[in-house]
Amino acid sequence: MKHLIDPTDLTKEEIDQIVALAEDIIAHRERYQGSMAHKKLATLFYEPSTRTRLSFTAAMMELGGNVLGFSNPQNSSAAKGETVQDTVRVVGCFADIIAMRHPVEGAPLVASEVSNVPIINAGDGSHSHPTQTLTDLLTIKRELGHIDDITIGFCGDLRFGRTVHSLIKALSRYRGIKVVLIAPDELRLPDYIKQDVCDKMGVAYRETDSLDEAIPELDVLYMTRVQKERFLDEDEFDRVKDSFVLDNRRMALAKEKMAVLHPLPRVNEILTEVDDDPRAAYFRQVENGKLVRMALIISLMEWKNDPAHTMPEHEAPVLNPSLHCTNAKCICNNEKHERRFRLAENGIYRCWYCDSKVR
Ligand code: NCD
């Protein structure tokens, strides 16, 4: 069964096919109107969302399909203590494909292990957000004409921002990508992305705490919201919440063709005065999100049982009972699951479900 839990569950060729299909949908909307007739998408959202849930819904509707699900887990059997795996087994009896957002990291992965229909991860904790990544790639392609050979600056909350983690993973497979990480010390990119993705894949990156210094060299500026809901310490959040603000003064330092992306919602990291700048691509990005999700739904429904489109092969997990995942928000610390680990770069063990360091 083909699922999308992590961006690397798709090969680079599959990603390029989905992006190309989205571009074909843009050119020939009418051809795709009935392609999901009599099919049902379930949206299981255990965490707040506007764009992602509505864009999945709009995508399925534009394809002629139907949508069911919940956006408040308090109204679902999760409130009675049902496990994620039981819920997807049940929903798989009603729906042909499932999009799931969950605050617990690794929840969509364990769902995919028992599901008889494709599972799409619509965001798990601070971990991954692969459909936002497809959105971002389509946006970069449409704004700049290419994805290879770009310098991209990620600015803001690189620690908890799952959209950043997933996009860097996906970009690491393109040619000539340079990454500039613009964040205060407290919000730096997690080591597992730096080591297991950038170092391993040979992506050139550097870190800075100055947006003014970085902005002139960028082809893409990826702004992010400081993820208040992921902080355990409110004082720490207050210290960093206004770290970087994009305004017209800073836009004047940037290239004429730079594209500004933001997964949204924004809080105050981009002033509204920037919205009229032709380089502000974040509202166009929202529409791309619906288009690329249309392409993804069509592709997964086509590929789900096709032996040419399997899930990637991973090395067998390490099952060492003396290892412990240190992440309180990991599925293995919230539900009963086999404790699994993988041996990462530099001989470090990481949790199979959430990539956190292991004790
Ligand atoms: C992002 C998310 O949920 O991770 N939003 C989205 O899906 N478009 C970013 C965020 O919440 O800041």
Side-chain angles (χ1 to χ4, degrees):
M1 178 69 61
K2 188 79 177 170
H3 306 281
L4 175 58
I5 307 301
D6 184 270
T8 57
D9 291 338
L10 298 170
T11 63
K12 179 173 177 288
E13 291 66 36
E14 286 168 340
I15 288 186
D16 289 338
Q17 273 180 43
I18 292 170
V19 169
L21 179 57
E23 290 179 309
D24 197 60
I25 291 172
I26 296 165
H28 309 283
R29 291 263 175 132
E30 65 300 339
R31 283 191 199 160
Y32 296 91
Q33 268 162 8
S35 58
M36 285 296 129
H38 310 297
K39 299 284 181 215
K40 284 171 274 170
L41 164 76
T43 56
L44 311 185
F45 275 59
Y46 295 78
E47 194 183 66
S49 169
T50 308
R51 259 151 304 277
T52 307
R53 189 173 59 81
L54 293 184
S55 74
F56 268 113
T57 304
M60 192 60 171
M61 286 174 162
E62 283 209 23
L63 297 171
N66 288 305
V67 185
L68 64 165
F70 56 81
S71 56
N72 178 355
Q74 289 313 318
N75 297 337
S76 82
S77 283
K80 300 180 186 167
E82 185 170 60
T83 63
V84 167
Q85 290 197 330
D86 279 3
T87 302
V88 300
R89 279 194 167 107
V90 169
V91 175
C93 301
F94 309 139
D96 302 284
I97 183 163
I98 295 174
M100 174 188 287
R101 167 169 289 195
H102 209 293
V104 171
E105 301 178 19
L109 175 64
V110 300
S112 71
E113 290 174 350
V114 298
S115 181
N116 60 348
V117 300
I119 301 281
I120 301 171
N121 177 4
D124 64 324
S126 314
H127 188 221
S128 285
H129 195 347
T131 64
Q132 182 64 45
T133 296
L134 295 173
T135 305
D136 301 338
L137 293 173
L138 175 62
T139 305
I140 294 171
K141 176 89 190 294
R142 294 187 77 192
E143 296 292 319
L144 301 181
H146 57 95
I147 302 173
D148 290 311
D149 300 312
I150 58 166
T151 299
I152 177 165
F154 289 93
C155 180
D157 188 348
L158 314 189
R159 177 175 167 204
F160 296 118
R162 56 192 173 194
T163 63
V164 173
H165 307 161
S166 287
L167 182 54
I168 293 179
K169 269 192 178 177
L171 284 173
S172 73
R173 300 192 289 189
Y174 287 81
R175 194 170 20 86
I177 301 294
K178 286 195 200 131
V179 171
V180 186
L181 303 168
I182 309 154
D185 265 358
E186 294 91 334
L187 298 181
R188 284 181 173 206
L189 191 72
D191 283 348
Y192 86 88
I193 304 279
K194 284 189 220 161
Q195 293 164 359
D196 301 4
V197 181
C198 296
D199 293 346
K200 187 171 168 192
M201 302 294 284
V203 176
Y205 72 90
R206 71 180 181 88
E207 297 187 278
T208 172
D209 59 7
S210 166
L211 179 54
D212 283 6
E213 176 263 314
I215 202 168
E217 70 176 295
L218 305 178
D219 302 304
V220 176
L221 172 58
Y222 196 97
M223 294 296 294
T224 61
R225 174 179 71 89
V226 178
Q227 308 275 301
K228 182 175 186 190
E229 67 278 25
R230 317 264 181 231
F231 280 76
L232 297 175
D233 175 354
E234 203 157 314
D235 290 343
E236 194 182 3
F237 169 73
D238 284 337
R239 262 201 314 280
V240 293
K241 66 176 191 236
D242 294 322
S243 290
F244 299 102
V245 177
L246 186 64
D247 55 11
N248 281 341
R249 181 192 68 77
R250 283 180 156 143
M251 287 300 286
L253 306 172
K255 285 185 186 170
E256 216 176 293
K257 285 225 54 177
M258 183 186 77
V260 183
L261 273 64
H262 189 312
L264 303 180
R266 75 171 143 190
V267 184
N268 55 357
E269 57 281 350
I270 303 180
L271 296 191
T272 51
E273 66 181 24
V274 179
D275 296 357
D276 294 332
D277 190 304
R279 295 168 290 183
Y282 31 91
F283 290 115
R284 295 191 287 277
Q285 190 179 356
V286 177
E287 180 164 33
N288 290 333
K290 180 192 70 181
L291 296 161
V292 93
R293 288 181 176 100
M294 290 168 78
L296 174 67
I297 291 168
I298 294 174
S299 302
L300 286 181
M301 291 297 288
E302 240 174 68
W303 297 346
K304 60 180 183 178
N305 293 318
D306 179 348
H309 293 278
T310 52
M311 293 295 274
E313 302 253 333
H314 293 293
E315 275 179 36
V318 176
L319 306 174
N320 180 342
S322 63
L323 299 176
H324 293 277
C325 168
T326 53
N327 177 6
K329 293 189 173 166
C330 176
I331 190 77
C332 74
N333 291 320
N334 285 270
E335 288 186 357
K336 253 187 152 30
H337 290 283
E338 182 178 56
R339 296 193 182 258
R340 296 183 214 154
F341 306 93
R342 62 183 176 82
L343 191 55
E345 297 298 288
N346 309 334
I348 301 170
Y349 286 100
R350 295 200 184 277
C351 174
W352 182 264
Y353 304 101
C354 73
D355 290 302
S356 295
K357 263 195 207 140
V358 159
R359 174 165 49 81

